[in-house]
Amino acid sequence: TEIYTLSLHDALPIYNIACLLDFTGTNIYTVGSLVGTNYFGSDALISPNNVFGSSFLKQTTGGTPLWGRAITNNGNGSSYAQCVAAAPGGGIYAAGVISGTNWLGTNTLVDVAGGSTYLVRFDAAGDTLWVQTIGGTNGNFIEYHDLCSDPAGNITFSALLSGGTRVGTSNVFVSGQR
């Protein structure tokens, strides 16, 4: 049985790091990273200039692609999806790391400190409901599988922070790395 189907135009690295079976038990979400031009079903996922972009995929348990999304860049940024959690209504939350300037659809994600964390919510149809960049004066990043949610849609994540960091409307200062 095939876990996912990607049509590669460039023979460059692609990997999925986390997966989740949806609440119906009929669909699988996966998150990971890709390089180059790739197709998941009819959706083009592009990360040019040999730099990584995050990928977000939904398919049936039989392997039929439903939708694919990507954080793209113009070669001046990169992103790495690290984790996925269930969201109410059949969607997902995903988190990862960005550097430089990246885009998720029309949303710009900018890192100014050598590494920032992103958190995004997709609905069941693959539409981006919101995206949040967590960054500050020094780089920060999320590790693999450090995201969870409850049935009410509350999320918890863990990230390595250093210095001043903005999380939503809160400012956090960390001395050293924590």
Side-chain angles (χ1 to χ4, degrees), residues 6-7 9 34 36-47 57 67-72:
L6 283 174
S7 170
H9 281 231
L34 55 89
T37 300
N38 305 272
Y39 291 90
F40 187 71
S42 61
D43 294 319
L45 309 174
I46 303 169
S47 186
L57 310 174
W67 55 259
R69 304 292 182 262
I71 293 181
T72 62

Side-chain angles (χ1 to χ4, degrees), residues 57-119:
L57 310 174
K58 181 179 181 181
Q59 66 183 26
T60 67
T61 54
T64 303
L66 298 174
W67 55 259
R69 304 292 182 262
I71 293 181
T72 62
N73 56 69
N74 62 2
N76 294 323
S78 62
S79 64
Y80 306 89
Q82 303 289 352
C83 40
V84 61
I92 58 167
Y93 301 104
V97 179
I98 61 165
S99 65
T101 301
N102 299 269
W103 295 269
L104 179 57
T106 59
N107 299 292
T108 304
L109 291 80
V110 178
D111 164 55
V112 295
S116 294
T117 299
Y118 69 82
L119 182 61

